[in-house]
Amino acid sequence: MVTKTNEELIVEKHVNLLHAGFKARAEREFEPSPAMGDFRWTEQLILSTYYQAEHGRPPENGLEYRVGRSEGGFDVLDFKFLDEAAWTPEDVDIDLSIPLNKRGVGREIEIPIPIYGGGMSFGSISEQVMVSRARAAQEWGTFMSTGEGGYPLALLPYKDHVITQVATGMFGVREETIRNARIVEFKYAQGAKPGLGGHLLGDKSTAAVAALRESVPWVSLFSPFPFHSVYSVEDHRKHVDWIKMTNPEALVSVKVSTPTDVDMVAVGSYYAGANIVHLDGSYGGTGAAPEIAKKNIAMPIEFAVPKVHKYLESENIRDEITVMASGGVRTAYDVAKAIALGADGVVMGTAELVSMGCTRCSNCERGQGCTFGLTTTDPLLSQFIEPDWGAQRISNLYASYALQLKDILRKLGLKNIRELRGRKDLLRYIGKGKSAS
Amino acid sequence: MTKKETYHRYHIATKPAPEIEKWPPRFNVTVGRVGLAKNLIKEIFHFGLGERREVVLSRPCIYGVFSGPVGGFAPRPQECVGCLRCTTEYPDYVKVEPNPARQQLGDSYFTFNHVNTISVESLDGSIPVKGAGYRGKFGGEGWDGMWTDMSEIVRPTRDGIHGRESISTIADIGYSPAFLQFDTNGQVLGETPNSLSIPLPMLFDLSAPAFKNNIFIKGAAKAAAEVGTLIILPVDVIKRLGLTGEHIVPLLKKGDESKLDSLVDFRLVTLSEWDAQLYAAIRQTLPDALVSLQINAVSDELTEIVEAGIHVFQWVSSFHGRDPQGSFILDSIRKLHTFFVEAGIREEVTLLGSGGMIAAEHIPKALLVGLDAVALDTPLVVAVQGKFDGECESREMSRFTFPQKLTADWAAQRIINLAAAWRDQLLEISGAMGIRETRRLRGEMGRAMFMADLEAAAFEGIDGYGD
C-alpha cells in the first residue's frame, strides 16, 4: 500500500471540500454570500455557472443564469421570442456551427458551437488549467488559445485544438509552435488593458514560467505595446505573411481591442489577409491589469460589434471574414446577443474559470493570488485543478450553452446560428432596472 | 557642461507612507466556534495527529486570516481579500461579509471604492493593478459614461510608459500670443508670453472654506512644492500659516486690496469673483503675476474679462462636481471649452477646474473635454485618511475629520504618492492613445467616446431603444 504524503493529503482534503462547496452553493443549500459577485458577474451568475458546470444544463432552482446587473450592454437587451406556434419544431435539429475561414481559399475549419476559448497564458494560469481547457476544446471540436506565455509541451496532444498566440512580448514564440497550430492569433491588444501590453507580475514568473517565456525568473514581464515590427497596416500585412510562410495551412486571427475606429481596424485586418478578426471589448478578463484601464480605455464589445459588422457590410466583405467577439461575454444569452449584434461567434475565458470555481475575487495578479488554483503557478495550489475534472466542468458548461442557444434559436423560429448574425431586429431594449426574460 | 549634467527627467519621489490610523477592514469574517471545534475533532479522528498534524491544521486561506495563534478561533479580518475559499470549503460555519464600517467611508459621490483606490495609491504611489475584469456598472452618468480611445498600431510612443520616449505631462498656465512681432532692432513689439509651466496637469485647490485643518494644509503645501505644482489657498490661511514660495497661489476676494502688500513672489493669484478694482490693484502690486478667476457659469462677460487681462479661468464645482445650475462638471467643462473655441480665443486662455474629479481617470477625461489642468481638492483629504462627516458636497459646509496623529510630513508624502500614482496612470492612458504630451489631450474630443453616442449608434433600430 502506497502511503500518501502530507502534501497529497492536504490537496485531497481541500479539493474534496471545494468540490462539495461548489455543488452545495450552486444547489442553494446555503444563504447567499453578500461578499460574492459584482454588477457584471453577480453572485447568481457565478453560482449558476457552477451549476451548469456540474449538470450540463441551466439551473432550474431559480438562479439567474442569463444576465447580470450592470444596467447596460447585454444586460439591457432581451430577445423578442415568437409565440409558441411559430417556434422551430422540436424535431428540427438546430445547427450551431460556424466557419472560421470564409475566404474560400485555404484550410476550412468549422467549429460545432460558436464559441472558442480565449488566450490565457501559462503564468497567468496554471498548466493544469490550460490542459483542462484544451481537453474541453478537443471534446467539443473547438479551440482554446495559449495566450502569450508560450506553448507548454503538455498541450501538444491537443494541438489541433490549440491556437498559438503571437503577442507583442513574443514570449516563447517559436517557428515550431507556430507550425503546431491550425490557427495562429496575433494579439495586438487586449480588452482589459488596451494599448498597454501584457502584465505578468514578478511573483508569478516562476522558473518554469520564465523558462517557457525565455526570460528571467521572478522578474515582472510587461509586454511592450504595440508590436515593434508593425508600424503600419502594410507592416501588419507582412506580419500575416510571416505566419503564412511559416505555416501555410494556418488560419490567421487578429485580436484587437475596441478603439473608436475599430471598424477601420477590422477592415485593415481583412485586407492584410486575416481570416478572423477578434474584437476584445473593454470589459474582458485579465490576469493583471491596471484598474484604470479596465473601465476607461476603449469601448465595450456591445458597441464595437455592430459598428464593425455594419462597416464590413458596407465594404461588401462581411461574408469573407469571421468576426469573433469577447470581453464580457458571460452567459449563453450574451453569446446569442453578441451574434445578434453582428458577431459570428464569441471567445470566452472568464466563464471557463468560473466553471472551475473562480469567485471573481480579483486577486489573480499575485503569485499565490488564486486560492482556488486557477490563476496561479504555485506548485501546491495548482494541484487543486485536476485536468480531467476541469475539462469536464468546462465541457458541461458548453453543453448547457449549446442547449440554451438551441432553445433561443428555436423560440426565434431559426434553424441555424448563422441566421441570427446581425439580427438586431430580434432584440428588444429593456432599459435599466428591468429584467431580461 | 555635458548632456548628462543638464538632462533632467521629471520624476516624483515616492516612498511608502503606511496608514497612521487603522481603517475598518474590507471584510468581516465570522467563524462558528462550535462548528470549527467539531470539524477539528473530526479531522483529528480521520487523519490523526502526530505526523499528520500538518494536514489537520492546513487552512483554507493563504492570506493569513486563520494564521493567528489560535487559527480560526480568532480570525484576522484585516488580512481578508474576499476570495471566499473559506466559505466555499466550510459554508456551514464560516461567513465573509463586506464590512459596513468600511463601506461608510466617503459619501454618496466619493464612494468607498474611490476611497479604497486612493488608499492604495497614496500608500506608496503605485498604480492599482488587479486581476479579473471590470466589476462595475456598464456605464452611467458623468465620468462613467465616457471612455478614452486607444491606438492599435500606429502610435508615436512606441513603447508606451516602458520605453525610450518619454511622455510629457507638462501643463502651461497663462497666455502666449499666437505669434511675436519684432521691431527692426529685434525687440518684441506688443504682447509677450506670460505663462508658467507645471510638470503635471494637476494643481491642489484647498481654497474652499471647508478645508480648515492646518496640518493637512501645511502637508499639502509641502507636497505641492516637492512635486513642482501649485496650491491654491485663501490669502488669510497663507498669512496665518506663514506659507511662502512660488508654489503658493493666494485666493483673494473682493475687498482684499489691503492684503496685497504682504504678497510677494507669487506667480499666480486667484480671484474668487470678478472685481475690476481688485484686479487693477493686483496689476499694480504684482505686475508680473498671472491672475486667474474662479467661475461657475458661462456667459458673454467672460470675453470681456479676457479683454480686461484675465487669461486663466478656474471652473469651480461642488465637491460632487455640480455647478449652481445643477450641471455636472464634465458637461460644464465642455460648455466652457466650446464657448472659448467659438469665441475664437481658446488659445488665449487656460482652463482649470476643480470639484468632482476624484479618480485618476478623471484627469485625462477632464483634459479631453477641454481643461488644461485639474485642481484637486477632496482626493487630498482621502489621501491623508481624512474621513467625510456625512455628505460632503458643499465647498463651504462640508466637514472632514483627520487622524489625530496627522503630521505635515506624513501628509505631504501621502499626497506626493497620490500625485505620482495619478501621473503614472495619466501616462498609461496617454500611452494607450499614442499621445506624446498630455497638452495635446486638451479638447481632443475625437479621442473621447461617450456612452450616449455609442449606444445610439449600436442599438439604433432595436425595438424599445429611444422610446
Side-chain angles (χ1 to χ4, degrees), chain A residues 400-412:
Chain A
S400 178
Y401 286 172
L403 275 177
Q404 292 170 69
L405 288 172
K406 287 182 177 181
D407 183 59
I408 290 167
L409 292 177
R410 202 177 295 285
K411 288 175 177 169
L412 292 170

Side-chain angles (χ1 to χ4, degrees), chain A residues 241-260:
Chain A
D241 286 348
W242 161 49
I243 297 300
K244 297 272 186 190
M245 290 298 288
T246 311
N247 182 354
E249 292 292 305
L251 303 190
V252 172
S253 168
V254 175
K255 179 179 177 179
V256 295
S257 187
T258 50
T260 185

Side-chain angles (χ1 to χ4, degrees), chain A residues 173-195:
Chain A
V173 173
R174 304 163 71 94
E175 276 77 4
E176 51 271 37
T177 60
I178 291 170
R179 289 174 65 84
N180 281 343
R182 291 199 290 160
I183 303 176
V184 177
E185 172 181 275
F186 279 115
K187 185 179 90 169
Y188 278 90
Q190 182 184 344
K193 41 183 182 277

Side-chain angles (χ1 to χ4, degrees), chain B residues 260 278-287:
Chain B
L260 282 171
L278 178 58
Y279 177 66
I282 293 170
R283 285 274 66 103
Q284 201 165 20
T285 315
L286 299 163

